[in-house]
Amino acid sequence: MNIIEYEIVVVGGGHAGYEAAHAAASMGAKTALVTLSPDMIGQLSCNPSIGGIAKGHLVREIDALGGIMGRIADRTAIQFRLLNRSRGPAVQAPRTQNDKRLYRLETVKLLKEKDLLDIIKAEASTLLFENNKLSGIELSDGSVLKSSFVILATGTFLKGRCFIGDWYFKSGRSGDQSSDRLAESLRRLDLEISRLKTGTPPRLDRKKLDLTLLDEHRGDEDPTFFSFDTCPGEQEFPPQHPCWLTYTCEEVHQVIRDNLHRSPLYGGIIKGIGPRYCPSIEDKVVRFPDRDRHQLFIEPEEAGSDVLYINGLSSSLPLDVQEAILDRIPGLTSKAMIRPAYAVEYDFVQPRELLLTLELKKVPGLYLAGQICGTTGYEEAAALGLMAGINAVLKLRGKDPFYLGRHESYIGILIEDLVNHGVDEPYRMFTSRAEYRLVLRIDNADRRLADYGFQLGLNSISRMERFRSKWKRIDEARNFLEKTRLSESLAGSDQLINEMGFPKGSLISVLIRNPSFTQEMVNKILLANGHQLVPEELRAIHNEIKYEGYIRQQDAEIKRLKNVEKLRLPTEIVYRNIPGISTEMSERLEKSRPATLGQASRIPGLNPATISVLHIYLSTREK
Ligand SMILES: Cc1cc2nc3c(=O)[nH]c(=O)nc-3n(C[C@H](O)[C@H](O)[C@H](O)COP(=O)(O)OP(=O)(O)OC[C@H]3O[C@@H](n4cnc5c(N)ncnc54)[C@H](O)[C@@H]3O)c2cc1C
């Protein structure tokens, strides 16, 4: 029997798996990444794109901490767009259309740069224990990877079943085997495990479509990147490509309504719950009966291929119904179908089983990350993978765990929501989940998180030097704008005073709050006075000055919250005697006996109302 010893073993080469393995190896741990197919490491299983609102925020945070998703996405993008450009800075976010093949190649390239990381092609089949302690995993060929720290990032593969109408087959995603033995091994651990589902749309052949009939959508001329390292001048990007827009119509909706009983979802064959916010076309028709059309984006999957992804048309309806749908959508035809849409149902572990470090409470040393713990989306998976990788290495080294608060990152929100509240449908990130959205902007993710990445060993000294000189440039420019008044003697202000009529004597920082005083105007003054900034830095300053009042309010609230966090709960406290605390909540508190209000707020299942009651109780007791 072949036995190899590793400090960390990661199972899965999806977005959670590659971030976990990269982080662990970067932090100096001898790491194995086990995957069913190394060629598919970094596969974009569904949409060929990264980012979007809130998801783009996650990618920026991953990058600031030293993860790799942002770099990969930038280097393989065939279209860049900043979403919500006309709205407030809290909800603006980058999104890229990516070349799937290049994305996989770039991921493997970055992983191969890590000397401490081995990529192993195998099926992980059984979790191994010695004296009731996790001791590694067995592979399906009988060999063993010994390790006290295993991260499972197996996505939709655990007992994966794919459905097209009433036809179904075992598979983790089309073309890949399902992971049944590992699912059985997990089920023996007395964990809460149930089923979720997700789906993907059909792929069409561009050669068989006349896309000139459809609206074309091009990317931004001035791309917004995910990675703080991406420099347009220093790097080559693949050729940029457009997308196209079309719509379903009433005729399509009628076909769907007539065939709903043939959908495995509506026919009751699929029991797992799907993502409410990323519904199949049949879900959309049922849930929004008044809508006479639904938008569909036609997106290229790779720069040099004719495969198109029909964003918005995911389905589990039978093949003949899918064909009938395609034949009724303007610009599309069933003759172009390369692969049908399908749904996949899989096992997931209820994330309430996890600690905030993503380690299973019942199985020390075993971590979960990505879709296996109830999320959906590449970005959510990558964020969890990064945090699981970091925490596994910290525990291995006997160091304190690394948590992120919800006041400082979307990653913190993601983990707190999962662990404290669990999921009853695939969890996806939204900006509305953040209490302090104006503080959690894409332009300041580096300020919020890069230092942590440095302390963890994920950000190099040279990267930190680049960050620090950027922050210095921003601070100096901001300082200048806050002290300088518009006057004829100020370089670059001629046109602003004489042609545009901005009042002399006004502080520039005050003028910035006026919507007609644009970012370009600010830049002109800065440039004329020796402050050279790139658009991203300029945007950060503009946002900070323009929304200063709100940001200050949110900062004050965060500070107040931090103080509340530290409030000590007396050891003699009898929770069941406090009015307003239910029996269920007092039992949870009695069981955990938290030392502070902050710890209490992280007890799984403890509701915010109970925290408020405890806060009031502590304040009145003090008085
Ligand atoms: C059909 C389909 C539709 C989807 N639709 C959407 C969508 O609409 N929107 C959205 O945001 N997301 C969607 N997703 C989800 C998206 O693909 C995932 O959220 C994301 O890829 C999850 O990343 P992950 O790292 O958790 O797992 P994955 O990317 O699925 O990677 C899992 C990895 O685990 C490996 N693996 C599994 N079992 C074993 C084993 N026993 N031994 C060794 N290796 C193993 C696999 O080889 C693979 O490398 C969809 C996924 C699928 C399959």
Side-chain angles (χ1 to χ4, degrees):
M1 188 172 58
N2 200 4
I3 302 178
I4 317 176
E5 217 161 305
Y6 285 95
E7 289 186 299
I8 306 281
V9 172
V10 178
V11 181
H15 307 274
Y18 70 67
E19 285 290 358
H22 183 269
S26 304
M27 289 169 74
K30 186 167 161 46
T31 305
L33 186 159
V34 189
T35 174
L36 294 166
S37 42
D39 294 345
M40 300 299 273
I41 287 179
Q43 170 71 340
L44 300 167
S45 317
C46 192
N47 46 323
S49 65
I50 295 289
I53 298 154
K55 287 168 174 275
H57 290 71
L58 282 172
V59 184
R60 284 227 136 195
E61 292 182 359
I62 292 166
D63 184 72
L65 284 167
I68 53 177
M69 177 173 249
R71 270 184 279 163
I72 304 168
D74 283 346
R75 290 176 191 179
T76 61
I78 54 174
Q79 187 183 104
F80 290 93
R81 272 181 101 110
L82 180 67
L83 304 187
N84 277 343
R85 215 173 245 275
S86 59
R87 297 184 57 202
V91 292
Q92 289 180 2
R95 179 183 192 269
T96 52
Q97 209 60 56
N98 290 82
D99 181 312
K100 284 190 168 187
R101 190 183 64 90
L102 290 182
Y103 195 101
R104 292 195 300 270
L105 292 176
E106 191 63 36
T107 310
V108 172
K109 191 174 131 203
L110 290 182
L111 293 182
K112 289 209 164 148
E113 285 172 7
K114 296 285 141 194
D115 295 337
L116 289 169
L117 175 61
D118 290 340
I119 295 174
I120 298 171
K121 176 178 166 38
E123 180 192 350
S125 55
T126 315
L127 290 156
L128 299 174
F129 294 86
E130 275 168 29
N131 304 323
N132 280 334
K133 275 186 161 167
L134 182 71
S135 61
I137 52 164
E138 187 179 309
L139 306 180
S140 58
D141 65 3
S143 44
V144 167
L145 303 181
K146 266 183 89 79
S147 180
S148 306
F149 295 89
V150 175
I151 300 170
L152 295 183
T154 49
T156 50
F157 284 65
L158 294 182
K159 283 217 166 130
R161 300 288 181 268
C162 293
F163 294 83
I164 303 172
D166 57 5
W167 179 52
Y168 83 92
F169 48 98
K170 282 184 176 189
S171 178
R173 73 186 157 209
S174 185
D176 284 293
Q177 69 183 80
S178 70
S179 191
D180 287 10
R181 278 182 279 195
L182 188 60
E184 288 306 331
S185 181
L186 259 181
R187 278 185 181 258
R188 288 194 285 273
L189 296 181
D190 180 31
L191 300 168
E192 190 184 341
I193 293 178
S194 23
R195 306 281 281 169
L196 288 174
K197 80 114 199 163
T198 185
T200 195
R203 310 304 200 264
L204 303 188
D205 183 350
R206 181 179 172 165
K207 290 195 294 300
K208 298 188 178 147
L209 299 176
D210 183 2
L211 296 171
T212 55
L213 300 170
L214 304 179
D215 282 349
E216 192 177 280
H217 276 237
R218 297 206 158 258
D220 295 340
E221 299 273 311
D222 54 335
T224 304
F225 301 111
F226 288 115
S227 176
F228 292 95
D229 293 342
T230 306
C231 295
E234 295 169 14
Q235 218 161 292
E236 282 209 12
F237 299 98
Q240 301 295 289
H241 282 257
C243 299
W244 295 267
L245 182 63
T246 186
Y247 295 90
T248 59
C249 56
E250 188 43 45
E251 240 190 300
V252 169
H253 299 180
Q254 196 52 48
V255 169
I256 293 172
R257 281 193 287 268
D258 291 345
N259 287 282
L260 261 189
H261 59 287
R262 299 178 63 199
S263 146
L265 196 66
Y266 287 89
I269 302 171
I270 295 181
K271 302 272 188 299
I273 298 162
R276 191 161 22 125
Y277 307 105
C278 200
S280 63
I281 189 64
E282 49 268 33
D283 278 340
K284 285 189 254 189
V285 169
V286 171
R287 277 170 43 200
F288 308 105
D290 300 336
R291 295 268 293 273
D292 56 6
R293 64 179 198 170
H294 293 280
Q295 191 171 266
L296 304 172
F297 276 100
I298 301 170
E299 302 170 344
E301 289 217 333
E302 288 172 22
S305 103
D306 289 313
V307 183
L308 296 173
Y309 172 92
I310 315 301
N311 193 342
L313 202 63
S314 97
S315 177
S316 59
L317 285 161
L319 194 59
D320 60 302
V321 183
Q322 291 190 33
E323 285 171 347
I325 291 172
L326 286 173
D327 286 334
R328 286 164 178 77
I329 296 174
L332 306 187
T333 162
S334 63
K335 292 193 187 76
M337 191 196 279
I338 301 171
R339 280 197 300 280
Y342 67 92
V344 58
E345 192 188 39
Y346 53 93
D347 276 6
F348 82 103
V349 179
Q350 180 54 255
R352 277 192 298 259
E353 297 276 3
L354 298 168
L355 297 166
L356 288 167
T357 55
L358 303 178
E359 186 180 19
L360 278 165
K361 291 174 197 161
K362 292 176 190 150
V363 194
L366 186 58
Y367 293 71
L368 305 183
Q371 197 126 354
I372 186 176
C373 53
T375 57
T376 172
Y378 313 130
E379 304 78 1
E380 289 81 349
L384 294 173
L386 175 64
M387 294 297 279
I390 290 171
N391 275 304
V393 177
L394 290 175
K395 187 162 182 190
L396 164 81
R397 305 262 183 260
K399 294 194 176 152
D400 285 343
F402 175 58
Y403 305 120
L404 283 169
R406 55 193 304 132
H407 62 279
E408 60 189 339
S409 67
Y410 277 91
I411 298 180
I413 295 171
L414 169 69
I415 295 178
E416 269 204 36
D417 283 354
L418 289 174
V419 171
N420 289 348
H421 306 298
V423 298
D424 49 20
E425 63 177 314
Y427 180 102
R428 166 188 178 166
M429 186 46 78
F430 292 103
T431 51
S432 57
R433 298 194 192 269
E435 291 82 354
Y436 311 107
R437 286 199 295 182
L438 264 177
V439 178
L440 306 184
R441 303 186 314 272
I442 55 164
D443 64 64
N444 68 359
D446 52 339
R447 283 228 161 167
R448 291 184 274 122
L449 304 174
D451 260 327
Y452 292 131
F454 177 59
Q455 282 153 33
L456 291 163
L458 293 172
N459 280 334
S460 64
I461 293 180
S462 62
R463 191 171 202 229
M464 287 313 291
E465 276 167 2
R466 283 201 304 281
F467 279 133
R468 288 193 185 114
S469 63
K470 172 188 161 189
W471 301 337
K472 188 163 168 262
R473 270 196 308 280
I474 291 179
D475 289 346
E476 283 172 357
R478 183 174 171 178
N479 217 1
F480 168 79
L481 295 172
E482 276 170 346
K483 288 201 180 122
T484 307
R485 292 179 188 274
L486 197 64
S487 76
E488 264 139 8
S489 61
L490 178 69
S493 65
D494 255 17
Q495 208 187 4
L496 296 172
I497 299 171
N498 299 326
E499 287 176 32
M500 311 191 83
F502 286 108
K504 279 189 276 185
S506 313
L507 279 171
I508 313 282
S509 55
V510 173
L511 287 172
I512 288 178
R513 295 186 181 104
N514 176 343
S516 52
F517 200 86
T518 62
Q519 207 162 294
E520 288 75 60
M521 296 174 188
V522 182
N523 196 24
K524 203 170 161 196
I525 293 188
L526 285 173
L527 264 179
N529 291 279
H531 296 274
Q532 194 157 8
L533 301 168
V534 297
E536 146 118 12
E537 296 164 357
L538 200 64
R539 193 162 45 225
I541 296 180
H542 206 254
N543 289 339
E544 273 173 21
I545 295 182
K546 201 163 170 191
Y547 298 94
E548 193 187 5
Y550 298 106
I551 293 172
R552 213 181 300 135
Q553 256 176 27
Q554 296 205 339
D555 279 340
E557 175 65 9
I558 290 169
K559 214 163 154 196
R560 192 191 63 78
L561 208 86
K562 274 190 185 158
N563 292 335
V564 169
E565 272 259 318
K566 285 186 224 138
L567 283 182
R568 298 209 74 79
L569 290 160
T571 43
E572 69 281 6
I573 196 165
V574 184
Y575 292 104
R576 65 176 178 281
N577 291 347
I578 302 176
I581 294 187
S582 69
T583 313
E584 187 199 337
M585 294 298 130
S586 66
E587 278 168 5
R588 284 179 199 268
L589 285 160
E590 291 294 349
K591 206 167 143 202
S592 302
R593 301 293 318 167
T596 63
L597 203 57
Q599 280 178 15
S601 70
R602 287 186 282 277
I603 295 174
L606 203 81
N607 58 34
T610 305
I611 298 299
S612 301
V613 173
L614 277 177
H615 188 202
I616 295 165
Y617 169 81
L618 289 176
S619 319
T620 43
R621 193 174 181 271
E622 204 171 294
K623 274 183 204 149

